[in-house]
Amino acid sequence: MNEPKEIELKYLVEYNFDKIGLVLYLVDNGYTIEDINHVTNEDIYFDTPDKLLQRTDSSLRIRVIDNKMIKGTLKYPVDNDNLYVKRVEIEQDLESKDFDALLNAFNNKRFDLSKICPFPFLRAFNNRHNFTLKNGENIITLSFDTIIYNETYQEFMIEIEAIKGTNPKVLEEINELIKRKYDLKTTKQSKYQRGIELTKLAILRRKH
């Protein structure tokens, strides 16, 4: 089945990273700015009691966008051998952010969600600034994320996503450009994986 794919490259950055500097650096290297927007996302993640989705780098979430639009999303990886990560991303509109609404949206899909626990494993709030950039026929979305996991841990991240029809090799080219000027750490973990691990570490540190 030809499911929609999410192909993206991720970097971890500090809170004071020069966002505009990176955008202008890419513009100086052949990209044009096609669009700029800002969104706030509330993400509510669900899993099985034994955290099967976390262990397989998959995720099932409800996303509330700007306190208005509500979407259910199921993701699972199909290629993790490159610098970037490729995941299947299935998205459905929801009428509410209730767990039952999420399950009902995927009733007609081929996935067995019967073992998913109805209580959230993670809540993440993401303040996201998006820049849509174009170079020739290739289009990317450059996102700067400020994420708070479970009101416990804050993280700053850059995501560069190849928009449908764009050659994924563009992400490798962008990474080479970035390496020439910046010393950034890449990550292949999903926000769900990172949020679970980081909030667990934060709790352990408080206990000690």
Side-chain angles (χ1 to χ4, degrees):
M1 185 177 291
N2 187 23
E3 300 284 12
K5 304 292 193 305
E6 173 189 69
I7 305 172
E8 62 184 11
L9 182 61
K10 295 183 181 183
Y11 300 93
L12 304 177
V13 295
E14 299 296 327
Y15 76 95
N16 58 350
F17 180 80
D18 184 6
K19 304 177 183 67
I20 300 303
L22 175 56
V23 174
L24 294 179
Y25 176 58
L26 293 178
V27 168
D28 288 342
N29 282 276
Y31 284 85
T32 58
I33 301 174
E34 300 293 306
D35 188 36
I36 301 173
N37 65 72
H38 169 263
V39 296
T40 56
N41 296 327
E42 176 190 2
D43 292 332
I44 307 166
Y45 292 93
F46 299 88
D47 208 333
T48 61
D50 61 352
K51 295 183 181 177
L52 175 64
L53 297 182
Q54 181 199 356
R55 290 188 283 107
T56 57
D57 195 21
S58 305
S59 64
L60 178 67
R61 76 175 181 222
I62 295 171
R63 167 168 286 181
V64 184
I65 305 169
D66 288 334
N67 289 317
K68 297 176 183 177
M69 192 180 303
I70 306 172
K71 291 186 176 291
T73 308
L74 176 66
K75 295 185 184 184
Y76 59 90
V78 291
D79 185 359
N80 203 21
D81 295 331
N82 297 291
L83 178 70
Y84 52 83
V85 175
K86 184 186 289 185
R87 294 184 178 91
V88 167
E89 181 180 39
I90 303 171
E91 195 169 68
Q92 301 285 322
D93 291 328
L94 302 182
E95 294 183 358
S96 72
K97 61 178 185 178
D98 295 334
F99 177 72
D100 286 343
L102 178 65
L103 289 190
N104 289 337
F106 288 93
N107 262 346
N108 297 324
K109 302 299 177 183
R110 67 184 187 279
F111 306 101
D112 179 12
L113 302 181
S114 61
K115 295 182 180 179
I116 299 294
C117 179
F119 303 104
F121 278 66
L122 180 75
R123 289 181 183 267
F125 291 88
N126 185 5
N127 186 17
R128 167 170 280 191
H129 291 86
N130 294 315
F131 293 80
T132 302
L133 304 177
K134 185 176 183 180
N135 188 343
E137 297 300 314
N138 295 312
I139 302 174
I140 62 167
T141 298
L142 172 62
S143 300
F144 299 96
D145 294 339
T146 300
I147 312 136
I148 300 177
Y149 301 111
N150 281 349
E151 300 182 350
T152 300
Y153 192 97
Q154 188 175 55
E155 182 170 59
F156 305 90
M157 186 182 293
I158 295 172
E159 287 189 6
I160 305 176
E161 182 174 355
I163 303 304
K164 185 177 181 180
T166 293
N167 189 335
K169 293 291 184 182
V170 166
L171 298 182
E172 296 179 5
E173 295 169 3
I174 290 175
N175 183 62
E176 289 302 315
L177 276 176
I178 288 175
K179 282 166 57 178
R180 292 178 197 170
K181 186 172 182 179
Y182 302 95
D183 182 21
L184 300 182
K185 180 181 177 182
T186 59
T187 179
K188 291 186 177 182
Q189 286 184 305
S190 67
K191 285 188 177 67
Y192 176 52
Q193 277 188 324
R194 291 194 61 76
I196 291 291
E197 292 181 8
L198 292 172
T199 52
K200 182 178 178 180
L201 284 173
I203 291 170
L204 289 173
R205 288 190 186 115
R206 283 206 294 265
K207 288 182 177 178
H208 290 85

